[in-house]
Amino acid sequence: MSLQGLYLQAHALANACLTRTQQCRDRWLLQIYNTEKEYYGNHPTAYNQWLVNRSYFKQSLTEIRSSVKGEFQAVMNHHLDPKNVFSEQNLKECRRFADEAFIASSKCTSCLVDYARKLCKHSETLTGSPPCKYDVVGLGSMARGEATPYSDLEFGYIFERKQADDYFVRLALAMYFTLNNLGETPLKGFYLPEFIDNYGQEGKEKRWFTDTTTSGFKFDGITPNSGNIPTGNGLPGGRALMFAVDDLMTLYRDSLESENGNKTVGNISYFFASTVCLYSSDGTESLHNSFIRKRSVYEEGVASVHSLARQNRLDILLADITKYDFLPNFERGKESETAEVKPDVFRWPTLLGQNVNINLCMWLSSPWEVFESLRTEGILTDEKELYFQFILAAAIVIRNLAYLTHGTQRDLLSFLTPGVTQTDDRFYVPQPLYINMACMVVPIKKSVLKSLEQLRREKTGDLLKDMKYVIQRIEIDKNDFITKAGVHHFAGDHEGGLQTLFDALGEKNVKSFQNALTLIRRKYGTNQTDSYEKHCIKVIVSLLCYQHHYKLALDYYSWFVVDYVRDPSERWSCQNVMAQCFTALGDYP
């Protein structure tokens, strides 16, 4: 590890000790200052002023969080109808929800960009006058206009002269010190081998060590899966994000057109496809603007028709949509009661917006504007645009409230209605919000996946036309009773799920396996070899069990096990549930 890295780790350890032992606050603050002083040789800030600066940045961040928390909480005052998701009245309420969420999210992003700008200016003050012009480029959620008050700060430098690299390494270290002094960068972000099991892999903390530092506003870290920062993660294969404009464009082009350009990790074109200027040394943002112009010319003139670039972009979009699921598998039982913000809720709608923004060369500052523009251009109908805006708004509101509630980047969520006394630390998402969101996002995802699979089989094409095709082919089946019943089931509203089936099929038909199967095949065009038909039956029989229709559930299982189950472990699982049904009926000892 470099000497700078060792100083950074020592600095992180001292801040972590301060978090653990506040009673020794003065001693640890002095230790943190002395670590910086040793790095600088002669600290550019006197100790008393350093304390003032540290307190100022911590207090400023607290004030931002306090100001936006009320706005996100106010959005939740809208009364969404989980039983009539697509009614005219409910869609109007969804529109109001999305509009207010956009205002809250825009304010949050604006505040954090301004805050990051102050941090950048402060790091320049610590480092000294730059040898040339440079711009600090924000990446990630800030660049997409959807930052939370606990987002990582992902950024890079664009500078005028490549010979000035050493200055920008020192500038980056000053920024890392300032960010680490907020006390919100966990030690695991520094990849210290003493605290990691199976060092060299993404291991867990050693049994004797527990990282108590809040995960909040911090730099991206130096672990194998992070490092979207000027100096990179310092590990083999890591890339420093410090470039002259032409060098950045060369890497941008080569990364997208390479044989492995369909890999998100390490693809510089993916990182820099959405950017925001956080700070400009001369106030002109000329370097960032130059990069934007060159990027636009390349994307519109080359990337959109380049066969390998097109294929890589479609692969990235497909990977994003496949990796970041939305509806956790309710069949897993108790495990599915807990979901995660990013994989299960947040990432899918935002990444779809980002991919569309890039691939249609729209160059808009947020996915909100992307979906609105698709409507004004006639690519999306008014109603479909509302669906996109709502699922995006719901995802962002859930993520922000989860973080703001726990005061950290806590990912754990539950969609089940909590009891009178909440005994765990999950963030409980209101059922109506989840059900409304899921009833829209699940069919959108199915449509996008279907179109992408078709396009990927075609080896040539125009990326602009391809993306318009994907968006225009999106279909929302408002009468998809299986999806709606499954959503209610996962949210813990088993009564509502079963009632959905009764309303759609008729209670008499639901209580007959053969009648229900006939209506499912008529609706979805399935047959016994179709995995979706098997899924439909699983949804129905699960709801019957949860609503204590044990005799009826046994009837379904007797057909299901014979006609659909081939795997021995699955057969055993079904028989186990059947035994539970017998026990509930008093017929099985």
Side-chain angles (χ1 to χ4, degrees), residues 354-394:
Q354 183 191 23
N355 276 280
V356 172
N357 195 19
I358 297 167
N359 296 333
L360 287 182
C361 301
M362 302 175 83
W363 311 122
L364 297 170
S365 59
S366 74
W368 314 87
E369 296 169 313
V370 170
F371 298 135
E372 183 179 9
S373 180
L374 291 174
R375 175 183 57 79
T376 58
E377 293 180 18
I379 299 173
L380 277 178
T381 64
D382 290 354
E383 189 167 318
K384 287 182 181 179
E385 184 251 351
L386 169 57
Y387 300 154
F388 276 101
Q389 297 287 18
F390 178 75
I391 64 174
L392 176 65

Side-chain angles (χ1 to χ4, degrees), residues 443-499:
I444 289 175
K445 180 172 182 175
K446 287 180 180 178
S447 296
V448 172
L449 285 173
K450 183 178 179 180
S451 297
L452 281 176
E453 289 289 1
Q454 180 177 336
L455 289 173
R456 288 176 71 250
R457 289 193 290 269
E458 301 173 6
K459 297 303 179 183
T460 59
D462 185 320
L463 190 57
L464 295 173
K465 292 180 180 178
D466 289 343
M467 289 310 301
K468 290 180 181 178
Y469 172 83
V470 169
I471 298 300
Q472 289 172 331
R473 295 276 293 182
I474 287 173
E475 297 177 357
I476 306 290
D477 182 358
K478 298 178 182 180
N479 299 312
D480 183 356
F481 55 85
I482 289 294
T483 292
K484 187 176 181 182
V487 167
H488 278 268
H489 188 0
F490 174 73
D493 180 17
H494 312 302
E495 182 181 357
L498 191 57
Q499 188 60 51

Side-chain angles (χ1 to χ4, degrees), residues 116-124 134 136 175 278-279:
R117 184 171 293 117
K118 293 176 181 176
L119 292 171
C120 293
K121 177 62 178 175
H122 180 66
S123 66
E124 183 186 279
Y134 73 94
V136 184
M175 187 71 156
L278 298 178
Y279 177 74

Side-chain angles (χ1 to χ4, degrees), residues 520-577:
I520 286 170
R521 289 178 172 177
R522 186 180 302 168
K523 168 67 177 174
Y524 298 104
T526 60
N527 56 53
Q528 190 174 322
T529 62
D530 193 316
S531 61
Y532 193 71
E533 181 167 297
K534 182 178 179 180
H535 167 75
C536 292
I537 297 171
K538 280 186 175 182
V539 171
I540 297 175
V541 74
S542 296
L543 285 168
L544 290 172
C545 285
Y546 270 94
Q547 287 303 105
H548 313 304
H549 295 279
Y550 298 117
K551 288 185 178 180
L552 189 53
L554 284 168
D555 182 48
Y556 268 79
Y557 268 119
S558 64
W559 288 95
F560 183 73
V561 171
V562 172
D563 293 344
Y564 296 92
V565 179
R566 299 291 178 267
D567 181 68
S569 62
E570 186 180 5
R571 182 181 292 271
W572 179 89
S573 178
C574 291
Q575 289 171 340
N576 183 46
V577 177

Side-chain angles (χ1 to χ4, degrees), residues 234-245:
L235 300 170
R239 175 185 285 128
L241 301 185
M242 298 190 292
F243 309 98
V245 174

